Amino acid sequence: MVFSRVPFHPFDFPVASRLAAAAFCCVHFASAENVKPASPALEQSFRDDVEPIFENYCFDCHADGIKKGELTFDRYDSIESMIADRDVWKRIRNHIDFRLMPPPDEDAPDDEERKKMIAWIDAAVFPVDPNHPDPGHVTLRRLNRVEYKNTIRDLLGVDVNVDELLPSDDSGYGFDNIGDVLTLSPVHLERYLDTAQIALEKAIDLGPRKFPQESVAGKRLNGPGQRSDRGHYLISNGAVEHEFRLGEPGRYRIRVTASADAAKKEPAKMDLRIDDKTQITWEVSEGLENPKTFETEVTFNPKGGSAKIAAVFTNDFYDPENPDPTQRDRNLMIHRISVEGPLDGPYAPRPATHRRIYVERQPNQSDDAYMRDVLNRFARRAFRRPVENEEIERYLVFNQIAKTEGATVEVAIRHALEAMLASPAFLFREEPGVGETQRGRKLISEHALATRLSYFLWSTMPDDELFQLADAGELRKNLDREIRRMIADEKASAFTENFAGQWLQLRNLSSAFPNYRLFRSFYDNKLAGLMKKETEMLFENVLKENLPVSTLLTADYTFINETLANHYGIPGVTGKEFQKVSLANTPRRGLFGQGSFLTLTSYPTRTSPVLRGQYVLENILDTPAPPPPPNVPQLTAPEGQQNHGLSLRQQMEKHRDDPGCASCHALMDPIGFGMENFDAIGRWRDQENGIPIDPAGKLVTGQSFATAQDLMKILSEDNKKQFHHAIATKLLTYALGRGVDWYDRPAIDGIVLKAQTEEGRFIDLIKAVIDSVPFQYRRG
């Protein structure tokens, strides 16, 4: 069983540093920021129990003037000096815990000695107070591109393709919502202003009032011919029509946008018919690339509030023998038909997106008062909190400017909204505390809690219900109910796309390019998108059904369609639609049997035991391996003459002869070799280069396995607590927008304990994250 530990970045110096392992292990995170004198008991414990272990296994390479890997214990003459160098001691702890040090060819501490070293490091260097945890520091976070797009959608009711407008976001700790990397450059500000203008242009209609209008694209019109996104193409005489819902009797303006292929120097002729009566005939000479809009006004009394309006092609021509190719055929394309009116009736209301912003004006209300009312309503949602009067007053200057230019208050409001959408209060997530600071921390406000909650589960702003509960101070009292409501909402798909998409690296499938010559079916069947959808559907199933999170690793079912089933060799699945399918009598279980994981952890021409082992360690067991030592050569390709006739495992064993590689590869390779029966795009195989595949192995913890199924069982069942620890760490990182640190240990331990108490069910795990001190509090 791999020991439970805290996720720190691995040691930078070469793996060969023995002590790096001896001093990198288990940690208890502490909340104290100030270095306090160590207790005599800890000092005595070090001298009596811990120092002899270090001397026995570490000092030969890292003391008495020797500092392999640039690490020496000579500079640590007190506990205070260790605390002052916590970053190094984090790495030391990890190396001990991950069994990276001492190297495999050296004497190493046994399990009890490692536990003793780790426990002492935790108590002395990383002390925590479990009863009063430190919520940690969170950098003021800018909305990333996904969050910005979703927020604009929910705030204004319009979709804007921000990927083409805003710079891409950097990532940290595996996610793109980390405050420390979400910088704000002058380019960002310029693009935010541009994007705000585009979004408001879509949402607001300040142009002349329009009469009611119904418009139907050509591809939606009924009739013969060929439909496409461009329109309805008539290659012979015929009509395309639509039943339009009209209002009162009166004058109506009818527009038809059309184009044609001309022949015999005569343009195509198009009749406009209403309820089968011809109203006018137009000649269409404009080519297919330059459609023209024809319009006319008619007066009629719609029967039953509707009328059948048709565009009719009346002079088809076809002469395939004509020597001039441009004169062989005449065809007509209808791009759109629209009806506006009645022109002598009332105007149509402004769009709903406009009316949501420009609320009804009260009688005798002044321009400033109306503008103040509109902006206050908008700002409460845009800034995701109540606003102060002074905040709104500063925007009234736009009305003064509008008056000097002869513009209306509506125009002034539009400019004020642009400024709001580029303001820090909108672009950044403010998380103020409330009440007095106690033991260095403050409870975040109800509105800040609603914001944290909505961006965690939805990647967007709070909805009306969250706002109402926060306004009433009732959100915390109804937190469990709201969490379940939010997870059941369709907007929770963002949690799958953004959390699972980054934790499980599903986003990277779009940039996976297996060798076309070796894996042509990957491209012919467009498997990347199908594999991604399979994993997303399993993730959503476990989440929505509140199943144990370990189901992600153990599920004896999956979601596939006929194409993916054929790829996996699973019979009895038909159709393009994804469906739940049993994996009984197959070697596949959970994530480890899915094409997404197996393809992401392969090279273009072959599998990679190293990548697969590293993926499992980092994402499933939260045990990141250090980077490779410098100047380590890449493994020679299988088809190289030197490796001819060798399996990948045999080549890797030659590669591991380098002692500088042995420690880390002993951690990663057995996991990857255990999955070698799956090829580089997830197909099952029994041989490689004509040699039977041997998946058997032994983990550094001593657990042995003979098959891929044995390995999956060890990883999913025997290491269940470690998987809970890993997903708790990932969830907390994503929820807080920062990497976890040593002082977060009580929070993570509490989340893991909750997971075990509730059988590790997904929603209960998420609730434990939301209930944790780092989520509910901030530093005072």
Side-chain angles (χ1 to χ4, degrees):
M1 182 86 169
V2 183
F3 298 139
S4 173
R5 5 106 13 245
V6 185
F8 289 130
H9 289 303
F11 211 178
D12 295 331
F13 25 95
V15 175
S17 58
R18 267 146 130 187
L19 174 89
F24 285 50
C25 324
C26 193
V27 287
H28 284 53
F29 295 83
S31 51
E33 283 298 311
N34 300 321
V35 176
K36 299 179 181 179
S39 71
L42 280 174
E43 294 176 346
Q44 188 65 43
S45 173
F46 180 76
R47 287 190 294 270
D48 294 345
D49 303 322
V50 180
E51 189 173 28
I53 304 176
F54 278 101
E55 288 178 349
N56 192 26
Y57 301 107
C58 309
F59 280 14
D60 284 351
C61 298
H62 302 283
D64 301 326
I66 302 174
K67 56 174 185 178
K68 286 189 177 181
E70 298 302 313
L71 175 65
T72 179
F73 283 104
D74 293 341
R75 62 186 181 190
Y76 301 117
D77 56 2
S78 66
I79 293 176
E80 286 77 12
S81 65
M82 299 176 189
I83 293 175
D85 210 0
R86 274 182 174 140
D87 284 345
V88 171
W89 280 86
K90 289 178 186 177
R91 298 168 188 152
I92 291 174
R93 183 189 190 288
N94 278 356
H95 275 59
I96 297 172
D97 191 21
F98 302 163
R99 300 169 183 268
L100 298 176
M101 288 293 152
D105 58 346
E106 301 285 349
D107 291 337
D110 59 28
D111 288 352
E112 289 304 315
E113 288 174 317
R114 288 183 189 272
K115 289 179 182 178
K116 189 177 295 185
M117 297 165 76
I118 290 171
W120 186 87
I121 294 172
D122 288 345
V125 185
F126 304 108
V128 295
D129 180 358
N131 296 319
H132 302 93
D134 179 5
H137 171 70
V138 178
T139 302
L140 188 65
R141 274 190 282 172
R142 172 176 61 81
L143 300 181
N144 65 22
R145 283 200 307 190
V146 172
E147 293 168 340
Y148 180 91
K149 177 181 179 179
N150 293 345
T151 303
I152 288 291
R153 176 200 67 203
D154 294 341
L155 179 66
L156 299 178
V158 298
D159 287 314
V160 178
N161 187 2
V162 301
D163 291 348
E164 297 179 356
L165 299 169
L166 299 179
S168 60
D169 298 311
D170 292 326
S171 295
Y173 305 98
F175 297 103
D176 62 5
N177 65 344
I178 304 299
D180 287 338
V181 301
L182 288 172
T183 56
L184 185 67
S185 66
V187 173
H188 276 100
L189 285 175
E190 181 180 344
R191 298 287 180 83
Y192 278 130
L193 281 170
D194 292 343
T195 307
Q197 291 172 355
I198 292 171
L200 290 170
E201 187 70 30
K202 283 189 167 187
I204 293 174
D205 178 14
L206 294 179
R209 297 294 299 274
K210 299 181 179 66
F211 293 103
Q213 181 171 315
E214 183 180 359
S215 181
V216 180
K219 66 179 181 180
R220 291 177 49 220
L221 296 168
N222 299 318
Q226 303 168 357
R227 294 180 177 87
S228 70
D229 288 339
R230 295 185 59 202
H232 201 126
Y233 194 48
L234 292 171
I235 58 176
S236 61
N237 287 344
V240 293
E241 60 190 28
H242 183 75
E243 192 82 14
F244 284 84
R245 299 179 301 275
L246 305 178
E248 300 297 322
R251 288 188 304 114
Y252 285 82
R253 182 178 295 117
I254 301 176
R255 297 185 178 92
V256 180
T257 302
S259 59
D261 289 325
K264 286 290 184 182
K265 299 181 181 180
E266 179 183 347
K269 293 185 178 181
M270 175 178 66
D271 287 352
L272 173 67
R273 295 179 185 173
I274 300 177
D275 291 334
D276 298 324
K277 295 181 180 179
T278 300
Q279 305 292 319
I280 190 172
T281 298
W282 290 303
E283 293 186 347
V284 183
S285 57
E286 286 71 22
L288 297 178
E289 301 302 322
N290 298 290
K292 177 181 178 181
T293 298
F294 302 83
E295 69 174 62
T296 186
E297 291 186 13
V298 297
T299 300
F300 64 93
N301 183 7
K303 299 176 181 178
S306 66
K308 182 176 69 175
I309 298 179
V312 185
F313 182 29
T314 61
N315 65 332
D316 176 44
F317 174 85
Y318 183 57
D319 180 9
E321 305 300 327
N322 194 305
D324 183 355
T326 65
Q327 297 299 321
R328 293 175 182 169
D329 201 4
R330 182 187 301 122
N331 303 304
L332 179 70
M333 176 174 280
I334 309 299
H335 298 269
R336 180 173 296 276
I337 299 177
S338 63
V339 177
E340 181 183 8
L343 304 180
D344 43 7
Y347 288 113
R350 300 284 189 183
T353 54
H354 177 100
R355 302 196 305 274
R356 176 192 286 185
I357 297 171
Y358 289 87
V359 296
E360 187 174 349
R361 190 167 181 170
Q362 300 300 314
N364 303 319
Q365 192 175 25
S366 68
D367 284 351
D368 278 357
Y370 177 62
M371 185 172 182
R372 192 178 291 111
D373 186 24
V374 171
L375 296 184
N376 185 68
R377 293 170 183 263
F378 184 84
R380 286 178 63 87
R381 300 181 70 245
F383 298 167
R384 303 171 288 277
R385 56 166 174 79
V387 292
E388 302 293 335
N389 291 334
E390 308 85 68
E391 291 182 271
I392 300 301
E393 291 299 319
R394 73 184 63 161
Y395 291 101
L396 296 185
V397 66
F398 287 101
N399 196 30
Q400 299 172 17
I401 297 172
K403 288 179 179 178
T404 63
E405 296 179 351
T408 65
V409 66
E410 286 78 13
V411 172
I413 290 172
R414 158 72 186 268
H415 289 302
L417 297 181
E418 290 179 13
M420 283 185 171
L421 293 179
S423 71
F426 174 73
L427 296 176
F428 288 84
R429 289 170 49 183
E430 301 173 351
E431 297 176 339
V434 294
E436 297 182 0
T437 300
Q438 296 182 348
R439 294 184 178 269
R441 69 189 192 190
K442 298 179 74 170
L443 197 67
I444 62 172
S445 71
E446 291 253 322
H447 290 90
L449 178 60
T451 296
R452 276 193 178 182
L453 198 57
S454 63
Y455 282 99
F456 177 32
L457 298 178
W458 288 347
S459 296
T460 189
M461 61 181 287
D463 64 359
D464 289 343
E465 186 162 346
L466 285 172
F467 275 131
Q468 290 167 8
L469 287 170
D471 289 343
E474 298 288 327
L475 179 55
R476 279 190 172 87
K477 298 177 184 177
N478 295 278
L479 205 47
D480 286 359
R481 184 195 71 193
E482 285 302 292
I483 292 170
R484 291 187 177 276
R485 177 184 71 86
M486 294 177 71
I487 290 174
D489 193 283
E490 62 181 13
K491 285 192 285 188
S493 62
F495 184 69
T496 300
E497 295 167 9
N498 301 317
F499 173 71
Q502 294 179 88
W503 168 44
L504 300 177
Q505 301 175 18
L506 301 179
R507 289 182 177 181
N508 297 346
L509 271 172
S510 61
S511 57
F513 295 105
N515 182 278
Y516 182 77
R517 179 175 60 85
L518 299 175
F519 305 108
R520 180 172 177 174
S521 64
F522 183 84
Y523 301 95
D524 291 349
N525 295 319
K526 300 179 181 179
L527 293 180
L530 303 181
M531 291 173 174
K532 180 172 181 282
K533 185 172 182 178
E534 176 191 18
T535 304
E536 288 178 338
M537 291 185 71
L538 176 63
F539 182 91
E540 284 204 339
N541 173 255
V542 175
L543 174 64
K544 301 280 188 181
E545 299 296 326
N546 195 23
L547 301 175
V549 288
S550 58
T551 308
L552 292 171
L553 310 182
T554 63
D556 59 358
Y557 61 91
T558 190
F559 297 88
I560 52 179
N561 65 0
E562 182 177 356
T563 301
L564 204 51
N566 291 338
H567 178 71
Y568 290 160
I570 299 176
V573 181
T574 58
K576 296 181 179 180
E577 297 301 317
F578 275 66
Q579 52 202 276
K580 188 175 182 179
V581 175
S582 171
L583 294 176
N585 302 317
T586 78
R588 301 177 187 273
R589 290 294 182 272
L591 176 67
F592 298 138
Q594 294 190 344
S596 60
F597 159 71
L598 297 164
T599 302
L600 285 168
T601 54
S602 297
Y603 288 122
T605 59
R606 63 170 175 85
T607 60
S608 172
V610 173
L611 292 181
R612 287 181 179 177
Q614 186 178 28
Y615 181 104
V616 172
L617 289 173
E618 291 184 357
N619 297 296
I620 306 303
L621 300 179
D622 199 25
T623 309
N631 304 318
V632 175
Q634 290 292 321
L635 185 65
T636 308
E639 54 265 38
Q641 183 176 1
Q642 180 182 358
N643 296 317
H644 180 70
L646 296 180
S647 69
L648 182 59
R649 180 167 192 148
Q650 291 168 327
Q651 297 173 53
M652 291 291 297
E653 286 170 350
K654 292 175 59 180
H655 191 66
R656 289 169 59 188
D657 289 342
D658 185 340
C661 303
S663 294
C664 289
H665 281 279
L667 199 63
M668 298 180 289
D669 291 359
I671 298 174
F673 287 141
M675 300 179 182
E676 269 297 282
N677 283 112
F678 296 103
D679 74 2
I681 57 173
R683 296 175 301 196
W684 181 263
R685 58 185 181 169
D686 294 310
Q687 294 184 342
E688 181 195 18
N689 292 337
I691 300 174
I693 290 174
D694 176 15
K698 184 177 182 179
L699 303 181
V700 293
T701 53
Q703 296 159 297
S704 298
F705 55 91
T707 66
Q709 292 71 35
D710 294 340
L711 173 62
M712 292 178 188
K713 183 177 179 181
I714 290 173
L715 295 175
S716 60
E717 296 182 12
D718 296 352
N719 288 306
K720 185 177 294 185
K721 181 177 180 181
Q722 194 160 351
F723 177 54
H724 289 161
H725 190 284
I727 194 170
T729 300
K730 298 294 184 181
L731 284 168
L732 196 61
T733 299
Y734 180 77
L736 298 179
R738 66 166 175 83
V740 299
D741 215 327
W742 56 273
Y743 46 75
D744 292 308
R745 182 56 181 271
I748 294 174
D749 285 348
I751 295 168
V752 172
L753 180 61
K754 178 72 171 177
Q756 292 175 302
T757 303
E758 301 294 339
E759 300 179 342
R761 296 187 180 277
F762 208 159
I763 294 178
D764 297 303
L765 191 63
I766 288 173
K767 286 167 59 179
V769 170
I770 293 169
D771 288 337
S772 69
V773 166
F775 196 95
Q776 294 279 340
Y777 289 81
R778 59 168 295 164
R779 283 181 180 168

